[in-house]
Amino acid sequence: MNEWESIKKPRLDSCPDRDLVPTSPQQLPFSAFLSKSFRQNEKHPILSDKKLIIYDLKVERPDLPVGYEENAWNRLKIAIHAIQQNQPSPESLEVLYQLCENLCQYDKAQRLYELLYEECRQYIEIQFELLANNTSQGIEYLHTVHLLWKSYCDQVSQIRCLFLYLDRTYIASTSTGSIWNMAMELFRGNYIKHVNVWQRVLKSILELVRLERTGEKVDEQFLQLNIRMLMDLNLYHTSFEQHLLEETRIFYDQEGDRLVESINIFDYLQHISTRVHQESILRVKSYFDKSTKFHLQTIVETELLTKRVEHILDKCFNYFQGIDYFQESDYDKFSLLYRLLQKVDKLEICAKYFTSYVKTKGSSILCEHINVQEKMIKLSAFESQTDEVVDHSFEADEQFVDGLKDGTEYFINLRANNAIKILAKYTDSILRSEKVDEELLDKGMFIFRNLQGKDEFEVIYKRDLAKRLLLNVTSKTAEKTMLSKMKKECGAGYTGKLEGMVKDIERSDELMTEFNAMYAQTSLPLNINVNLLTNGFWPSYVPVNLNLPPMFHQVQNAYTEFYMTKFSKRILTWQNSLSVCKVNANYPSGTKHITLTLLQTIVLLLFNDTTKNFLTF
C-alpha cells in the first residue's frame, strides 16, 4: 500500500464551546419530566436539549501520487490485452476495478475512455485485416467471422466488467451510452470500411438462406446466430434486408417459372401456400426479424401467384371443364384457390373466370348428343356442384354468387342451346312414365327457374299436356305435382289454364260415369269416352267436318242429349280431329288391336262394305 492509500480521512472532533448554542437557564419541561421519571443509568441517560451545529464541513482530497495515472492505465492495458488474447488477467479483477474507479473519481474518466476506445479500435482493425486477407470462402469463411464475433462479444463483456464504474458514470452520460455500444460501433464501422469482408459475409449468409429454401439441410442455429449478429450491429435493416429481399424475389421468380409448367396446377397452389407459411411464419420465427415478415410474404405471393394469376386460372378452370362429377378433393381445390387469391386481392378476376366456366360448361352439357334424361341428370349435378363451390369453397362471396347467377341465366337462355325444348321434352318423358319420381321433376325445375322465355315454354308444355291427358298416358297426381312446382315459381296466374285442363278431364270422367249409368240398359253400337275441353284452357283446334258412319252419329247424338240435359245453355262442339279409336282388325292370320285416329278409322271401315264400287268419306 503506497503513501497515498495509507492516508485516512480526518476524524470529526467536538466543536468548541463557541459553536454550541447556549442553553436557557431553565430546563425545558420535556427534559425535566424525563429527568424525574427515569433513573440515570446506561439504559436511560438524561436527554439534553443542546444542539450541535457544524458550518461548511470540508474534507480536503489528497492529490494523486506522481505517475499514478500512467501506472494505473498500464496495469489496465495489460489486462485488456490479456482478455483480447483470451488469457487470464495477471491481476485481481477487484484491484483493476478499483484502479478504474480511482481514476474516474479524480476526473480522469474522459481520458480513460479515450485510451480504452483506442485500444479496442486497434484490436478490431487488426482482426478485420486478417479477415480481409483470409482466402477461405463460403460457409468456412462465415465460420471464421462467427468465431471472431463470438470471441469479440465475450471480450467486450469482460472489459466492461473492469470498466463498469466508467461505463455507468461517464459513458452513460455521453451519446455513446455504454461500452457495449462503443464496441458494436467499432465492429460495424470496420464492416463498412472493409467492403470485401462485408460482401463475402453477406454472400455466405444469403447462400445459406438459399440452400435452406431449396430443402437442403443447413445448420439453422448457425444461420440464426449470424443474422442476430447483423441485428446487433444495426446492419440488418440498413444493409442486409434489401439484399435479402432482392435475392428472395429472384429465387421465387425463377421457381415460379419452373414449377408452373412442370407440376400439376393444384400442386402448384399447395406449393404457394406452403411457401407463404415458410417465409411468414417458420423463417421469421427461426432467424429473420419480425419486421421482414410482411415484405417476404408479399414477394412470395407476387412472384408465385400475382404475376401468374391468369395462367393459373386458365389451367384450373380447364381442369374443371373436363370433369362432369366432382370429388370431395375438388371442392378443396376451389377453396385453396379462393384463399390464395383473397390474400392478393384477385378475387374479381377469379369471379370472371368462374362465370365464364359456368357459361361454357352449362352450354356444353345442353349441346351434348345424349338422351334428354342423361342430359338433365348431368345438368342437375352441375347445378348442385356449382352451388356447393360457391357456398363453401368460395364462402358465399357475393362476387361469385352473382357470377353463378349470371352464368346460369346465360347458358339456359342462349337460344342455340334449346333449353326450352329440352325441358319440355324432359318433363313430358317423366310424366308419361308409369311411376313418376318427384326428384326427377325437381331436376327439371333448375332450368325452369332460370328461364326467361317462360311463356314460350308454357305453349309447348300445354300442347304436350293436352296430348298426355287426351291419350290418358299420364297420372293426374303427377300432373298436379308438376303444376304445383311451376305455380310456386311463377304464381297462380301462370298455371291457371293448365290446372283447368286437368280439372276438365276429371269432370269428364265424372260425366262419363253418369252417362254410362243412364245408358246401362240401352245397347249402344260403340263404347265411347268423351273428354270435355273448356274453350280457352286448351290449345286452339280447327274443327273438321266428317261424314261419320251411322253408329258414330248415334253415340254422338246420345251424349249430346245427355249433356244438354245438364247444361242447356252451353254449346257442344265435337273435335273429330282429336278423336282416337281402338279398332279390332280381323286378318286371316289372327286379330290385331290397332289404335287409330278417327279419320283413319273411318277410312278403314269403308273397306268393310264390299258392295260399293267406290269409296268416299
Side-chain angles (χ1 to χ4, degrees):
M1 183 176 294
N2 54 37
E3 181 182 354
W4 179 82
E5 291 172 338
S6 64
I7 296 176
K8 295 183 179 179
K9 296 181 180 180
R11 187 171 60 85
L12 187 63
D13 295 328
S14 300
C15 295
D17 294 339
R18 60 184 175 85
D19 292 334
L20 295 175
V21 177
T23 60
S24 65
Q26 295 181 353
Q27 196 174 29
L28 294 176
F30 183 70
S31 301
F33 173 77
L34 291 176
S35 298
K36 294 177 181 180
S37 301
F38 302 97
R39 291 186 304 171
Q40 184 176 355
N41 54 36
E42 293 181 358
K43 292 184 179 180
H44 303 284
I46 298 176
L47 297 179
S48 174
D49 295 316
K50 295 181 180 181
K51 296 181 180 179
L52 178 65
I53 301 176
I54 303 173
Y55 296 95
D56 298 331
L57 176 63
K58 293 182 179 180
V59 179
E60 293 186 0
R61 182 177 62 184
D63 296 332
L64 287 175
V66 177
Y68 180 84
E69 179 181 356
E70 183 179 355
N71 178 54
W73 168 245
N74 288 333
R75 292 162 68 184
L76 289 170
K77 184 168 67 172
I78 292 172
I80 292 172
H81 290 169
I83 292 173
Q84 291 174 342
Q85 295 171 10
N86 297 320
Q87 295 178 357
S89 174
E91 291 192 64
S92 167
L93 297 180
E94 184 178 359
V95 172
L96 294 173
Y97 177 87
Q98 188 64 50
L99 290 175
C100 174
E101 182 180 353
N102 291 338
L103 292 175
C104 292
Q105 288 180 345
Y106 277 84
D107 302 328
K108 305 296 182 182
Q110 181 177 357
R111 178 59 182 164
L112 182 60
Y113 172 69
E114 292 173 354
L115 292 171
L116 174 62
Y117 179 87
E118 186 63 22
E119 285 297 320
C120 294
R121 184 190 64 78
Q122 292 178 4
Y123 170 77
I124 197 60
E125 284 186 354
I126 293 173
Q127 298 303 316
F128 265 84
E129 289 294 337
L130 294 175
L131 285 178
N133 296 326
N134 193 312
T135 58
S136 59
Q137 297 291 332
I139 307 302
E140 182 182 353
Y141 184 77
L142 193 59
H143 273 286
T144 303
V145 175
H146 174 66
L147 289 176
L148 170 63
W149 166 253
K150 183 179 179 182
S151 175
Y152 181 72
C153 291
D154 293 339
Q155 293 166 8
V156 171
S157 297
Q158 294 180 53
I159 291 173
R160 181 178 179 274
C161 290
L162 296 182
F163 293 87
L164 187 61
Y165 191 88
L166 175 68
D167 189 50
R168 291 180 174 178
T169 55
Y170 173 75
I171 302 180
S173 63
T174 65
S175 59
T176 303
S178 67
I179 292 177
W180 181 265
N181 291 344
M182 176 203 73
M184 295 300 103
E185 185 61 31
L186 287 172
F187 206 98
R188 181 176 183 273
N190 277 275
Y191 254 138
I192 297 173
K193 179 180 178 181
H194 296 81
V195 178
N196 181 42
V197 175
W198 166 246
Q199 291 295 333
R200 292 163 71 181
V201 170
L202 176 64
K203 183 178 178 181
S204 300
I205 294 177
L206 293 177
E207 178 63 17
L208 275 178
V209 174
R210 189 192 68 80
L211 291 174
E212 194 273 335
R213 282 172 172 162
T214 57
E216 295 190 28
K217 188 174 182 180
V218 299
D219 189 342
E220 292 189 10
Q221 185 177 8
F222 175 67
L223 178 58
Q224 180 190 43
L225 291 173
N226 281 279
I227 292 179
R228 296 299 177 205
M229 172 188 70
L230 301 181
M231 293 179 184
D232 292 340
L233 296 173
N234 292 328
L235 289 171
Y236 183 89
H237 294 292
T238 58
S239 300
F240 173 74
E241 188 177 40
Q242 58 183 345
H243 294 285
L244 169 67
L245 297 179
E246 180 60 22
E247 288 296 319
T248 302
R249 188 193 65 77
I250 295 173
F251 177 83
Y252 284 114
D253 180 52
Q254 295 173 350
E255 183 178 76
D257 289 338
R258 184 179 72 256
L259 295 181
V260 76
E261 298 295 343
S262 61
I263 64 175
N264 179 275
I265 190 61
F266 297 104
D267 292 338
Y268 180 77
L269 292 177
Q270 188 61 52
H271 178 76
I272 295 175
S273 179
T274 301
R275 283 302 196 187
V276 170
H277 178 71
Q278 289 174 345
E279 295 294 342
S280 63
I281 304 297
L282 300 182
R283 293 192 177 96
V284 169
K285 187 177 180 179
S286 297
Y287 38 82
F288 291 146
D289 188 72
K290 291 181 179 180
S291 63
T292 315
K293 173 181 177 178
F294 173 76
H295 302 293
L296 289 173
Q297 181 174 338
T298 301
I299 289 174
V300 174
E301 292 170 347
T302 300
E303 298 300 326
L304 295 183
L305 185 59
T306 305
K307 289 173 61 174
R308 299 171 172 80
V309 64
E310 293 190 3
H311 183 65
I312 291 171
L313 289 172
D314 275 334
K315 297 189 76 171
C316 287
F317 285 104
N318 284 340
Y319 164 80
F320 291 116
Q321 190 71 38
I323 58 176
D324 293 326
Y325 302 101
F326 287 176
Q327 303 295 325
E328 191 65 31
S329 59
D330 293 321
Y331 297 107
D332 296 335
K333 293 171 183 176
F334 270 119
S335 181
L336 175 61
L337 178 65
Y338 176 83
R339 292 197 307 272
L340 290 175
L341 294 180
Q342 188 180 38
K343 291 181 179 180
V344 297
D345 196 23
K346 291 295 181 181
L347 289 181
E348 184 176 354
I349 187 172
C350 182
K352 292 179 180 178
Y353 271 83
F354 178 69
T355 303
S356 178
Y357 158 73
V358 173
K359 293 178 180 179
T360 306
K361 184 64 176 178
S363 296
S364 67
I365 294 174
L366 288 178
C367 295
E368 195 171 352
H369 297 293
I370 54 177
N371 69 63
V372 68
Q373 291 201 15
E374 290 181 6
K375 189 174 295 188
M376 290 303 298
I377 290 174
K378 275 191 175 183
L379 201 60
S380 177
F382 176 67
E383 179 220 3
S384 61
Q385 288 170 177
T386 51
D387 284 343
E388 180 75 12
V389 167
V390 171
D391 290 341
H392 296 90
S393 300
F394 293 156
E395 300 176 7
D397 191 298
E398 187 174 341
Q399 298 179 81
F400 294 92
V401 173
D402 294 340
L404 175 59
K405 181 180 178 181
D406 294 343
T408 302
E409 290 181 352
Y410 173 84
F411 80 78
I412 286 180
N413 294 288
L414 190 64
R415 186 163 294 275
N417 291 340
N418 294 318
I420 293 177
K421 294 182 180 179
I422 291 173
L423 176 59
K425 187 176 180 180
Y426 173 75
T427 53
D428 185 61
S429 64
I430 296 299
L431 293 171
R432 283 176 179 267
S433 57
E434 295 181 1
K435 186 177 181 180
V436 178
D437 188 347
E438 190 173 344
E439 291 185 2
L440 297 177
L441 293 177
D442 289 333
K443 294 181 186 299
M445 292 306 297
F446 163 64
I447 292 183
F448 180 80
R449 196 175 297 115
N450 292 279
L451 271 181
Q452 293 176 354
K454 289 184 173 65
D455 292 339
E456 184 180 351
F457 172 75
E458 181 191 7
V459 173
I460 301 175
Y461 186 86
K462 181 187 287 187
R463 182 192 63 196
D464 293 338
L465 175 61
K467 290 181 180 179
R468 292 194 298 272
L469 293 175
L470 294 176
L471 294 176
N472 196 25
V473 291
T474 184
S475 166
K476 296 179 182 62
T477 302
E479 294 290 353
K480 290 179 179 180
T481 300
M482 182 62 189
L483 290 175
S484 67
K485 294 180 182 295
M486 295 165 64
K487 184 177 181 179
K488 184 178 180 181
E489 294 293 334
C490 300
Y494 184 81
T495 58
K497 294 181 180 180
L498 301 176
E499 291 174 333
M501 294 171 65
V502 177
K503 290 179 180 178
D504 280 349
I505 298 302
E506 292 177 338
R507 180 59 177 157
S508 298
D509 292 341
E510 294 174 1
L511 291 175
M512 280 307 304
T513 302
E514 295 180 21
F515 175 78
N516 291 328
M518 179 181 293
Y519 287 92
Q521 304 301 323
T522 305
S523 177
L524 294 174
L526 296 174
N527 294 326
I528 187 175
N529 184 64
V530 180
N531 289 319
L532 294 170
L533 314 182
T534 302
N535 188 25
F537 288 170
W538 295 72
S540 298
Y541 302 107
V542 178
V544 178
N545 295 321
L546 298 176
N547 294 323
L548 295 175
M551 55 182 177
F552 284 89
H553 268 300
Q554 183 180 350
V555 293
Q556 277 191 2
N557 291 334
Y559 189 85
T560 301
E561 292 174 1
F562 162 76
Y563 185 79
M564 297 309 293
T565 59
K566 288 185 168 292
F567 310 101
S568 59
K569 294 184 179 181
R570 295 184 182 179
I571 300 174
L572 194 62
T573 303
W574 292 89
Q575 294 288 350
N576 294 320
S577 60
L578 300 180
S579 299
V580 178
C581 300
K582 292 182 179 180
V583 179
N584 294 330
N586 298 312
Y587 294 99
S589 59
T591 301
K592 302 295 182 182
H593 303 287
I594 308 173
T595 300
L596 304 170
T597 65
L598 179 58
L599 280 74
Q600 294 170 334
T601 303
I602 293 173
V603 172
L604 287 180
L605 289 177
L606 293 176
F607 289 93
N608 286 342
D609 189 355
T610 58
T611 61
K612 293 184 178 180
N613 296 324
F614 62 92
L615 302 175
T616 182
F617 63 95

